[in-house]
Amino acid sequence: MAAAPNKPPTVAQKDAPMERGLQVAPGPHLSSTGLTTRRLMLDVVLALVPVFAMAFYLFRWFAVLQVGICVVSCMVVDAITSLWRGSRPSLHDASAIVTGVILGLSLPWSAPWYVGVVASVVAIGFGKAVFGGLGQNIFNPAMVGRAFVMISFASSLGATAYVRPEASLEILTQATPLTAAKELSGSIPELWALFVGNSNGSLGETSVLACLVGGLYLCLRRSAVWQIPVSLLVSAAVVAGIANLLMPETPLTVLGHLTSGALVFSAFFIATDPVSSPLNTRGQVIFGAGIGALVVVIRLFSNYPEGVVFAVLLMNAVVPLINRVTIPEPLGGLPADA
Amino acid sequence: MSLAQPAGVTTTRRSFAGGIHPPSSKQLARDQPIEVVPTPKLVRVPLLQHVGALCEPVVKSRDEVLVGDLVGKSEAPVSAFVHASISGKVAKESAATLPNGRRVPTVPIKAGDEQLEGQELFDDIYGGEWPTLRLDLPTADLILQSVRDAGLVGMGGAAFPTHIKLALNPDRPIDTLVVNGCECEPYLTADYRLMLEAPRPIITGALLAASAVDARRIVIGVEDDKRQAAEALSTAAEATGIEVRVVKTKYPQGSERQLVPMLTGNNVPANGLPLDVGVVVVNVATAAAIARAVLRGKPMTHRIVTVTGRGVETPKNLLAPIGISYGELIEAAGGLSSDAARILAGGPMMGFTLGDLDTPVTKGTSGITALTRDDLQQIEETSCIRCGLCADACPLNLVPTRIALAARKGAWSLAERYHIHACMECGCCAYQCPAQIPLVQLIRMGKAHLAGA
């Protein structure tokens, strides 16, 4: 089949196209260069760099350790479960790395090492592998893992876990903003401090600015749809505004809600997970709006100071339904009798 | 009909939702003037080159035929006559497999000594006077009869018999004739060269077609990467009232469902035709063929074929007789390069791969694209991550992943609920898919199953 290098084969050999190595394949015969699942996933990792940088600034090596434990555990569990299912390990697609980084960034700096490991096992094992691996899961794997440890290791992840009285950085001696708001004790930092991230909290959630920088990158690269974060934040703002009107005594203002906790982090990095979010724009808007509203409602009315984990999981559960009711009408519409 | 609006090129700024921007690669052949292929020793004229019924041969082996003589016809309601594309002697009927996989009988003709060649042939087809202003319009019936006798089919690729498209339907009055000069398929430049080198027959043909369907308005749509073509058409259309509109370059702008809303503001219903919104669409090459059929009584015997791609040595736009083999056209373009890997009938988005270079060219063959190994990315398929990029790319507002995966699983009713039949297989979804899922192939499979079920 290899032609002599200097003499291109001519059509004189036309009776044997197969022998020349001509391929017969279904179209289309072009595909967009470089756009792969791996690229989409690595884009998310790249977008998380500013968030991680802020976490490193605040929590130093605790951030590296926590994220490292989760990433390594997620990759190991992903490899094992893939082999177990009889498919090739899919580490190449980098989805396990994304789950690991997001999970790590959602934990407090102080969580013991086994919390990250258990969260990763549950995230990949029960959040993803049991459904059939990449692309098949209903729930956001990182949130499944986070919810599991949140309930199982309540003391390691509770409000007190964040506070470290002897810390040299002053903010680490204070309660997280949402805990302060929930318990009406301590002080909620200034909005500007919340915005840049000069506050206590889970590793990745403190800085709205860092999340916006990374999130903007994701949306501009079209690696995440902008409709989800926008609808999520708008909906959270609207519900928080209504709450403020009805219950003027709540300590958090609309901007306070938007800048504290994991709201912005989840808007850009968690809710935008393609696998567990709806397929079309209308559905994505419903999904984002649902999460935004639920986060604020949970913050206001539940025992938990923060509602992102449960809000995302609840909305994940209704994604199949959302997809079903938002089947778009084909261009030009269908006549009534079709 | 009154066509009193001023001529000139206008630009449409907005574009349709969805679609993709694949590399056009048109630079390979766009500056190559139309070249006439020397008459081949043998042509094999397929008896089915169109949507519809197979023709019966009306000549037999050893008959002498002249170029343009009828060689196959059918009285079926949907069909198109076929004609000898060279002069010579009919040989024994043989079968050929067309790129779409259909095996059809052909009428082989061995070339005689007397043939029109080179510039003479070009002038015979596209040269001479093409009246646009003092055009004596024949009656609609006469136009239809000429078009039918000439065996005209849509030359943009679908090969739907033109006389059926132009037939007046009292229940569905036509308002606008759209002439499609978009040529959105990457690589192909045949229509571009025609618009540039022979705009007048296109204009004449458009006037005749509009007269046949009693259309009030004629709009020619050209993509904005072919501005020169738009200007050539506009000059040729001076004082005729024909509008030349430049539309955004985006694949699949040349699809009726994308072009008609851009030019008329009306969407074509998902399971309907442009006819449903008072529009008839003809391709530019078809318009030129209409002019030639009506005014000169000449049938469709030749067409322009772009032979291009990095897999051929010297990409060209060739004027070739119907029935010449793909292999001979590739030879005329310098032959295949050493790294040619896949040869396509048509362009890379909607073209079919060719397994046999002896395949004869038909009326719908707009190009031959030879792709090299470098052009073809061979990336393994991975799982759908429901990113929705396919849905964003779909110009028909479908959710391709749902349809394709439903078809793969045999969930036929789910595929129908997601409107599998509305899909036109343009390939935008598969082009965009980060998981390399063969979406179009799966959807085709699903349609075939549903059609057979």
Side-chain angles (χ1 to χ4, degrees):
Chain A
M1 267 182 287
N6 296 329
K7 193 176 162 288
T10 64
V11 209
Q13 303 160 283
K14 65 187 170 192
D15 50 343
M18 290 323 201
E19 278 164 43
R20 281 204 62 250
L22 291 186
Q23 307 165 356
V24 175
H29 307 278
L30 287 182
S31 71
S32 61
T33 45
L35 186 64
T36 58
T37 303
R38 180 183 159 81
R39 201 211 82 176
L40 291 179
M41 294 295 170
L42 289 178
D43 254 2
V44 179
V45 175
L46 205 58
L48 283 164
V49 166
V51 179
F52 182 77
M54 191 64 203
F56 183 69
Y57 168 73
L58 288 178
F59 305 102
R60 301 293 151 167
W61 296 100
F62 290 108
V64 178
L65 196 67
Q66 205 63 279
V67 172
I69 287 171
C70 290
V71 169
V72 172
S73 311
C74 281
M75 290 174 75
V76 169
V77 179
D78 198 45
I80 293 172
T81 51
S82 309
L83 288 172
W84 196 0
R85 284 203 324 273
S87 58
R88 274 189 321 118
S90 57
L91 291 177
H92 180 79
D93 62 40
S95 61
I97 299 177
V98 170
T99 304
V101 176
I102 290 178
L103 189 57
L105 289 173
S106 75
L107 293 174
W109 63 270
S110 59
W113 65 271
Y114 53 83
V115 169
V117 173
V118 170
S120 302
V121 171
V122 174
I124 300 289
F126 292 89
K128 182 169 155 189
V130 293
F131 289 99
L134 179 69
Q136 310 302 319
N137 46 296
I138 295 173
F139 298 101
N140 185 315
M143 290 302 100
V144 172
R146 183 66 172 82
F148 184 82
V149 293
M150 190 162 137
I151 296 162
S152 312
F153 303 102
S155 63
S156 307
L157 287 103
T160 51
Y162 290 88
V163 185
R164 190 189 194 194
E166 75 282 12
S168 54
L169 210 56
E170 199 204 333
I171 54 157
L172 299 188
T173 64
Q174 300 161 353
T176 64
L178 287 175
T179 305
K182 181 108 253 167
E183 296 171 355
L184 300 172
S185 66
S187 60
I188 301 168
E190 302 275 317
L191 277 182
W192 178 249
L194 287 170
F195 181 75
V196 294
N198 209 4
S199 65
N200 204 348
S202 296
L203 294 172
E205 72 179 25
T206 57
S207 172
V208 171
L209 181 64
C211 292
L212 280 179
V213 171
L216 217 58
Y217 167 81
L218 269 191
C219 293
L220 289 177
R221 287 271 286 179
R222 305 254 174 143
S223 293
V225 290
W226 61 266
Q227 286 90 347
I228 292 179
V230 168
S231 61
L232 193 156
L233 296 173
V234 167
S235 148
V238 168
V239 176
I242 295 171
N244 269 326
L245 286 178
L246 299 179
M247 307 180 289
E249 72 282 4
T250 50
L252 277 176
T253 60
V254 172
L255 285 176
H257 270 292
L258 289 181
T259 49
S260 50
L263 190 72
V264 177
F265 180 72
S266 71
F268 286 103
F269 301 107
I270 298 173
T272 52
D273 168 35
V275 176
S276 54
S277 62
L279 274 166
N280 31 66
T281 307
R282 216 148 48 92
Q284 286 156 355
V285 170
I286 297 173
F287 176 76
I291 293 178
L294 281 173
V295 167
V296 176
V297 168
I298 293 172
R299 280 180 182 180
L300 291 173
F301 299 108
S302 83
N303 282 330
Y304 287 101
E306 175 60 305
V308 164
V309 174
F310 294 121
V312 170
L313 290 175
L314 281 170
M315 287 310 291
N316 284 161
V318 293
V319 165
L321 185 66
I322 296 177
N323 276 336
R324 208 182 158 117
V325 299
T326 57
I327 298 176
E329 192 174 62
L331 179 78
L334 296 163
D337 57 333
Chain B
M1 79 180 218
S2 70
L3 292 163
Q5 287 134 343
V9 181
T10 53
T11 304
T12 303
R13 283 229 175 73
R14 65 197 187 94
S15 188
F16 59 93
I20 53 170
H21 293 279
S24 93
S25 301
K26 287 186 192 281
Q27 74 281 0
L28 292 172
R30 69 181 296 152
D31 297 326
Q32 301 297 319
I34 299 167
E35 201 178 302
V36 180
V37 180
T39 304
K41 289 199 179 70
L42 174 83
V43 293
R44 294 194 298 156
V45 181
L47 287 166
L48 179 72
Q49 309 182 28
H50 44 265
V51 174
L54 181 72
C55 288
E56 287 298 317
V58 297
V59 289
K60 47 188 196 307
S61 185
R62 314 255 273 279
D63 280 0
E64 294 280 344
V65 289
L66 288 174
V67 59
D69 283 355
L70 188 70
V71 297
K73 67 187 284 188
S74 164
E75 296 304 331
V78 181
S79 188
F81 297 169
V82 293
H83 302 82
S85 57
I86 60 173
S87 304
K89 195 183 245 179
V90 176
K92 206 163 147 272
E93 194 179 300
S94 70
T97 307
L98 298 183
N100 61 13
R102 266 193 93 150
R103 194 151 176 84
V104 297
T106 69
V107 175
I109 302 165
K110 285 187 179 138
D113 298 332
E114 293 283 303
Q115 306 287 351
L116 271 183
E117 301 278 2
Q119 190 62 38
E120 241 184 319
L121 178 66
F122 183 89
D123 288 343
D124 181 70
I125 296 176
Y126 294 118
E129 266 308 298
W130 296 101
T132 54
L133 294 179
R134 272 179 294 279
L135 174 61
D136 283 327
L137 290 170
T139 63
D141 283 345
L142 266 176
I143 295 174
L144 272 191
Q145 195 57 48
S146 309
V147 167
R148 180 164 188 257
D149 289 346
L152 296 200
V153 303
M155 294 171 88
F160 187 79
T162 307
H163 67 272
I164 298 169
K165 225 182 218 186
L166 298 185
L168 265 182
N169 178 341
D171 301 332
R172 298 279 171 87
I174 298 301
D175 174 74
T176 305
L177 177 83
V178 166
V179 182
N180 190 344
C182 287
E183 201 170 45
C184 63
E185 179 79 36
Y187 286 89
L188 304 188
T189 54
D191 286 350
Y192 172 72
R193 291 311 307 184
L194 179 68
M195 291 186 276
L196 212 57
E197 296 183 43
R200 284 189 72 89
I202 297 172
I203 300 299
T204 307
L207 292 166
L208 290 165
S211 156
V213 298
D214 201 18
R216 186 183 54 81
R217 180 175 171 226
I218 302 175
V219 201
I220 307 182
V222 182
E223 281 189 338
D224 60 10
D225 63 342
K226 303 173 196 72
R227 234 164 234 289
Q228 279 171 290
E231 277 154 23
L233 288 171
S234 172
T235 308
E238 201 159 357
T240 56
I242 294 180
E243 297 165 56
V244 180
R245 286 274 282 276
V246 171
V247 290
K248 282 260 158 67
T249 302
K250 175 156 89 168
Y251 180 84
Q253 180 64 72
S255 136
E256 293 180 340
R257 285 165 203 287
Q258 273 50 61
L259 186 59
V260 169
M262 281 304 108
L263 301 182
T264 69
N266 293 322
N267 279 325
V268 179
N271 52 0
L273 292 170
L275 184 68
D276 295 322
V277 288
V279 177
V280 165
V281 184
V282 296
N283 162 271
V284 283
T286 315
I290 291 171
R292 185 165 183 254
V294 175
L295 298 184
R296 300 184 182 173
K298 292 288 179 71
M300 190 176 277
T301 55
H302 291 72
R303 71 156 296 141
I304 305 169
V305 182
T306 305
V307 185
T308 184
R310 288 163 195 88
V312 294
E313 291 292 338
T314 48
K316 282 180 177 173
N317 298 292
L318 298 168
L319 181 64
I322 307 294
I324 190 171
S325 75
Y326 277 75
E328 280 167 293
L329 286 186
I330 292 171
E331 276 292 89
L336 292 174
S337 65
S338 56
D339 54 351
R342 208 179 275 187
I343 299 174
L344 309 173
M349 292 306 296
M350 289 191 80
F352 291 94
T353 42
L354 209 61
D356 178 4
L357 292 172
D358 276 337
T359 305
V361 162
T362 63
K363 296 170 187 173
T365 308
S366 47
I368 304 171
T369 309
L371 299 178
T372 64
R373 281 185 288 276
D374 288 342
D375 294 325
L376 299 162
Q377 293 182 59
Q378 305 281 18
I379 305 174
E380 213 179 322
E381 183 188 337
T382 54
S383 300
C384 174
I385 55 163
R386 300 184 236 164
C387 60
L389 284 172
C390 56
D392 290 345
C394 181
L396 297 179
N397 204 25
L398 306 174
V399 191
T401 175
R402 280 294 149 122
I403 306 174
L405 298 185
R408 180 177 265 169
K409 281 183 278 192
W412 310 115
S413 65
L414 187 65
E416 283 182 314
R417 199 186 308 148
Y418 276 92
H419 313 297
I420 184 171
H421 297 294
C423 172
M424 61 179 176
E425 302 167 21
C426 66
C428 291
C429 53
Y431 175 84
Q432 205 67 291
C433 179
Q436 311 294 322
I437 300 169
L439 294 160
V440 178
Q441 180 67 359
L442 289 168
I443 294 173
R444 276 194 200 125
M445 192 191 80
K447 281 184 185 171
H449 178 95
L450 286 165

